[in-house]
Amino acid sequence: MGGIANMMKAGISVLARPQKVSNTPLHLQIEPTTFCNLKCAFCVREKNVFRPKHMTFETFKEVFDDVKPMRVTFAGDGEPTLCPDLFKMLAYVRDNNARAIVTSNGTLGPELAEQIVDSGLWALRISIDAATAETYRKMRLADFHEAILEGIRAIQALKEERGVSRPDVGFEYVLGRDNLHEMKSVVELAKEMGVCRVNFRPMNLVGIEEREDELLGGLTKDGYRQALVETRELGDSLGIPTNLEEIISLLPFYEERYKDDFNPEGKSPDCIYPWVQIYVAIDGKVTPCCALQMDEKVDFGNLFEDGFDRVWNGEAYKTLREEMKRHRSPYKSCITCEGRSLGKVTELAMKTPGFLKKAK
């Protein structure tokens, strides 16, 4: 299916919200490996992964050829840069006129910088979570902070040397008790290192509810809000885009979403993902987004066993589309999510640096 024709069909699906769709997903999220070199305090990986493995290039190629996405995000329960075939996968995405995004812990940056710049990767999102090595150790339980910064410096230097603009490098920052005080410092660090954006994420406790006190204990509403507001103002003054305006507007929701009596009717926010996106785990299991698979182990079918068509328009997808059309969902990941409406997805895309520009 041609790219423009598929986009038009996807647009019709998003507006009409049918159970069965004629378009293929615009966005493929895929898990290239379940190996990881970190054991982060806020990660659900140890509950999900018992025998880690890598995806082969041949398997990835079959998935890509079935889905034919415009964008591919490599992420999951593992660290993508540990996958031996990752750079072959990135080259295939590039050669088929799609954009690739990798969410990485950045720990292998110094040794992979040249491959990263040569790969055709559109965007690299580094999960840094701290401005200093001391705080990084508390969040990630490892000592890679300086290696991450060295890797980013190497990538930025190579881009300048070769006169290319890609990949753009952004920071991901999970907000917890131990790193709230370094929000402003990480924005300053982003400015210093030529990082295009800092994306802050409120801690997601689905699947690790028992760790709430360990990860968030002691935080106050006033202190949390003040840190968000001051960091947003700093980002604006330095010209570093953040998503803090959205987070601040949703604070009442974030404060309530993990309470036992929250949303007993199972109402879900508006979300277009079931009509335009697919997440494929390492074993072929499919859901509309990574949270449903990683946090709740939901299974909408197996792409490797059932084939794309039977999964994409299978009963599980059709049932969820009908439920979400009525703003309902049986899944905790959905009802505790802020939602991804058409307007919100478009707004976030337009705010992403370089979204409308062609790569050099």
Side-chain angles (χ1 to χ4, degrees):
M1 184 184 297
I4 295 178
N6 191 46
M7 280 189 66
M8 293 177 65
K9 289 183 177 182
I12 293 170
S13 292
V14 166
L15 294 174
R17 309 290 173 100
Q19 283 189 312
K20 183 176 181 179
V21 298
S22 59
N23 60 285
T24 57
L26 302 180
H27 183 203
L28 165 66
Q29 290 183 311
I30 195 161
E31 184 175 55
T33 184
T34 48
F35 281 88
C36 190
N37 56 345
L38 295 178
K39 294 183 179 180
C40 302
F42 49 85
C43 185
V44 297
R45 179 178 177 275
E46 289 189 0
K47 292 187 175 183
N48 294 342
V49 180
F50 304 102
R51 294 181 180 177
K53 57 184 176 180
H54 300 300
M55 182 176 288
T56 65
F57 170 72
E58 290 72 22
T59 298
F60 169 78
K61 181 179 180 298
E62 290 178 8
V63 173
F64 184 94
D65 289 348
D66 280 342
V67 178
K68 298 179 178 64
M70 297 179 63
R71 187 177 73 172
V72 183
T73 297
F74 294 86
D77 270 323
E79 165 50 37
T81 60
L82 295 178
C83 176
D85 285 347
L86 177 67
F87 291 100
K88 290 177 67 176
M89 297 174 185
L90 294 178
Y92 193 75
V93 174
R94 174 198 63 205
D95 293 344
N96 282 274
N97 300 311
R99 295 178 177 181
I101 300 169
V102 170
T103 299
S104 170
N105 62 32
T107 56
L108 302 181
E111 59 192 87
L112 296 178
E114 191 163 357
Q115 287 177 276
I116 287 170
V117 174
D118 290 342
S119 67
L121 180 63
W122 188 261
L124 178 65
R125 300 293 179 247
I126 301 290
S127 301
I128 192 166
D129 299 327
T132 65
E134 180 182 1
T135 298
Y136 182 87
R137 285 192 292 269
K138 291 180 180 178
M139 296 295 293
R140 295 272 170 176
L141 309 181
D143 196 12
F144 285 106
H145 196 262
E146 185 53 39
I148 294 170
L149 300 186
E150 287 179 11
I152 294 171
R153 292 187 191 103
I155 291 168
Q156 303 292 55
L158 279 170
K159 286 163 56 180
E160 184 174 358
E161 177 185 314
R162 297 179 184 180
V164 298
S165 61
R166 296 291 168 181
D168 69 29
V169 180
F171 282 158
E172 297 285 324
Y173 198 98
V174 175
L175 294 169
R177 176 188 63 192
D178 293 326
N179 68 350
L180 195 71
H181 66 290
E182 288 192 356
M183 291 177 66
K184 290 192 289 186
S185 296
V186 88
V187 170
E188 293 170 341
L189 183 64
K191 179 69 174 180
E192 174 191 334
M193 304 196 73
V195 168
C196 69
R197 179 179 178 84
V198 183
N199 185 49
F200 293 95
R201 291 196 294 125
M203 186 79 69
N204 177 13
L205 294 173
V206 176
I208 54 169
E209 291 86 352
E210 73 279 4
R211 302 181 197 171
E212 180 175 4
D213 187 61
E214 170 193 348
L215 299 170
L216 299 177
L219 290 178
T220 65
K221 293 181 181 180
D222 290 343
Y224 196 84
R225 174 181 283 276
Q226 182 178 355
L228 299 180
V229 170
E230 290 179 359
T231 306
R232 181 195 63 187
E233 292 172 350
L234 178 63
D236 290 345
S237 69
L238 295 178
I240 298 296
T242 72
N243 62 330
L244 289 173
E245 183 178 348
E246 178 189 19
I247 293 178
I248 292 168
S249 72
L250 289 168
L251 274 179
F253 167 79
Y254 290 129
E255 291 164 0
E256 299 291 328
R257 65 173 173 170
Y258 294 122
K259 293 184 177 179
D260 291 338
D261 59 350
F262 173 73
N263 197 0
E265 299 86 8
K267 293 181 179 178
S268 65
D270 190 20
C271 181
I272 66 171
Y273 282 175
W275 290 270
V276 298
Q277 178 173 283
I278 192 170
Y279 174 77
V280 182
I282 192 78
D283 55 5
K285 292 180 180 178
V286 167
T287 49
C289 75
C290 58
L292 284 169
Q293 167 62 214
M294 293 168 61
D295 298 339
E296 295 194 78
K297 306 306 293 180
V298 177
D299 182 1
F300 277 33
N302 193 299
L303 202 69
F304 303 160
E305 298 170 3
D306 305 324
F308 171 73
D309 291 332
R310 290 180 62 188
V311 172
W312 180 235
N313 276 311
E315 289 305 313
Y317 249 107
K318 289 193 293 185
T319 298
L320 183 64
R321 287 172 185 144
E322 181 60 27
E323 287 288 296
M324 297 199 75
K325 183 177 182 179
R326 298 186 292 118
H327 297 287
R328 297 186 60 83
S329 174
Y331 305 116
K332 188 173 183 179
S333 292
C334 293
I335 65 175
T336 58
C337 178
E338 60 269 32
R340 284 293 177 255
S341 64
L342 176 60
K344 184 173 290 187
V345 170
T346 302
E347 180 184 4
L348 292 174
M350 297 298 288
K351 287 182 177 179
T352 301
F355 178 77
L356 297 177
K357 296 179 181 178
K358 293 182 178 180
K360 294 180 182 178

